[in-house]
Amino acid sequence: MKQYKTIQIEKKVPESIICNCCGQKINSTKQHPYPDYITIHKIWGYDSPYDGEEHDIDLCTDCYAKWIQTFKIDPRDRKEAEDV
Ligand SMILES: [Zn+2]
């Protein structure tokens, strides 16, 4: 039989988020109280151009919008992506 007790565990949470592309802090505003952004976490495989490197990217919505304009396939178009 186990008897349990309650403990507190320290946990790291982001204090601020900085866009990797423009360097601006991703803040909440009156218009956008819950700021949204995209996070990419990638551990590159061996024999890839980044051979075992770990990359973390946070992008604000403005930089994301500019980035996806460079794509040949719009990420909002699920059917196009599935046909390729
Ligand atoms: Zn940005």
Side-chain angles (χ1 to χ4, degrees), residues 58-83:
D58 294 308
L59 290 178
C60 70
T61 53
D62 289 344
C63 290
Y64 179 73
K66 291 175 195 165
W67 184 38
I68 65 172
Q69 285 176 357
T70 67
F71 291 8
K72 287 190 176 181
I73 299 170
D74 190 317
R76 291 169 287 202
D77 192 349
R78 300 291 304 155
K79 178 148 181 20
E80 284 288 325
E82 291 166 5
D83 289 345

Side-chain angles (χ1 to χ4, degrees), residues 4-23:
Y4 292 91
K5 65 180 179 181
T6 302
I7 62 169
Q8 289 185 327
I9 298 173
E10 281 191 34
K11 181 181 175 185
K12 284 187 174 183
V13 295
E15 189 173 34
S16 63
I17 302 163
I18 309 291
C19 175
N20 280 82
C21 186
C22 68

